[in-house]
Amino acid sequence: MAKAIAQREGSADEQMLRDELAVQRRQASARERQLERYAADLRDTFKAERARAEELQASYVATVRALVDAVEARDAYTGAHAGRVAAYGLELARRVEPDLACDPQTEFGFLLHDVGKIAVPDEVLHKADDLGPEEQALMRSHPQVGYEIVRAVGFLAAAAQVVRHHHERWDGEGYPDGLSGQDIPLAARIFSVADALDAITTDRPYRPGQPIARARAEIRALAGTQFDPAVVARLDEISDERLEQIRGGS
Ligand SMILES: [Fe+2]
């Protein structure tokens, strides 16, 4: 009798244990399902965020492109110049300061450097002969004018620094602020080397485009006066083949 009672109690305990386990399993799988739902929600949110960020970035690029086109439409030389100089500049920036090359603002600044030429009248912009003092002053106002245009656009705040300082010189003899050495923003110091490279290797009304080797020599000769010597040294790390590719438009 006592044995039968003990057996019943034993199986009642087992049943309780089984019930308890079943409840815990159900709770665990409910928690698991909830976690999976959270994970799926997070994935969806992340995907949507990324799509929005990409869309925003694409609209930034389109805006910059439209501004660059507005400048290029007036000046045949500037034409493919902005794209080429940006490509030279980024190639150089990768050697000088990789983080700078990854920042889209750097490319935007390179592309927009001459946006202030919008304010220079056609007769001055296209004048073949030497410019008079007033015309020269007008021409030299383009970094400042460009800066005023670009800095008003929130996503171009850092790019505005390149626009303003792209005609400064390492020795302080440039414009508009006469900054010298490392006071000139690094992206602007890189840009001015890229700009010279493009100017020397491009056909001009008074001479054909010069070979890359000639451009390297001319730039090297101006290291420490016009250009940051550390940036010029990095130019040697880019192969002639790569520079020729950019020159040819790829
Ligand atoms: Fe310029």
Side-chain angles (χ1 to χ4, degrees):
M1 179 71 171
K3 196 175 167 193
I5 291 172
Q7 265 178 350
R8 264 206 308 279
E9 280 176 354
S11 67
D13 282 350
E14 273 172 36
Q15 188 55 47
M16 267 175 62
L17 212 57
R18 272 197 294 274
D19 291 349
E20 179 67 19
L21 270 174
V23 168
Q24 280 182 9
R25 246 183 250 123
R26 273 199 300 278
Q27 285 174 342
S29 70
R31 270 197 300 271
E32 201 176 310
R33 280 197 302 278
Q34 200 176 26
L35 278 175
E36 277 167 7
R37 276 199 300 276
Y38 284 153
D41 283 354
L42 269 176
R43 270 196 304 273
D44 288 349
T45 310
F46 180 70
K47 245 194 259 173
E49 259 326 300
R50 201 169 49 188
R52 262 198 298 275
E54 279 168 9
E55 235 170 72
L56 197 61
Q57 186 61 23
S59 76
Y60 285 169
V61 172
T63 307
V64 169
R65 201 65 250 177
L67 275 168
V68 174
D69 287 349
V71 184
E72 290 179 345
R74 297 189 49 218
D75 188 347
Y77 161 68
T78 358
H81 161 74
R84 266 196 323 266
V85 86
Y88 288 134
L90 285 178
E91 203 67 47
L92 197 49
R94 273 181 214 115
R95 268 87 181 171
V96 177
E97 181 65 66
D99 285 349
L100 202 60
C102 295
D103 182 351
Q105 295 250 344
T106 303
E107 184 175 9
F108 292 160
F110 291 171
L111 285 168
L112 288 168
H113 65 282
D114 271 345
V115 72
K117 284 189 176 171
I118 285 174
V120 179
D122 275 353
E123 57 274 21
V124 177
L125 195 63
H126 298 138
K127 196 170 178 184
D129 307 315
D130 284 345
L131 298 176
E134 264 176 46
E135 293 167 326
Q136 215 170 53
L138 209 53
M139 199 63 177
R140 284 167 67 105
S141 71
H142 78 270
Q144 172 86 40
V145 172
Y147 171 75
E148 301 295 339
I149 294 171
V150 167
R151 78 169 172 161
V153 184
F155 76 90
L156 293 173
Q161 293 300 316
V162 177
V163 176
R164 183 178 184 106
H165 297 296
H166 74 277
H167 284 291
E168 304 285 2
R169 290 172 47 115
W170 182 253
D171 59 10
E173 296 297 310
Y175 61 95
D177 297 314
L179 298 184
S180 62
Q182 301 197 343
D183 286 344
I184 306 166
L186 179 58
R189 278 180 266 149
I190 293 170
F191 174 85
S192 58
V193 171
D195 197 26
L197 181 63
D198 191 54
I200 298 166
T201 54
T202 307
D203 288 340
R204 292 301 171 86
Y206 45 90
R207 57 137 180 81
Q210 302 296 300
I212 298 279
R214 170 76 181 271
R216 285 189 194 276
E218 282 188 30
I219 289 169
R220 217 175 284 130
L222 293 168
T225 50
Q226 187 168 344
F227 304 121
D228 176 350
V231 173
V232 173
R234 297 291 181 166
L235 183 60
D236 290 339
E237 294 173 16
I238 309 174
S239 68
D240 282 358
E241 291 71 29
R242 181 64 194 123
L243 296 180
E244 288 291 0
Q245 268 175 354
I246 296 172
R247 186 186 194 183
S250 58

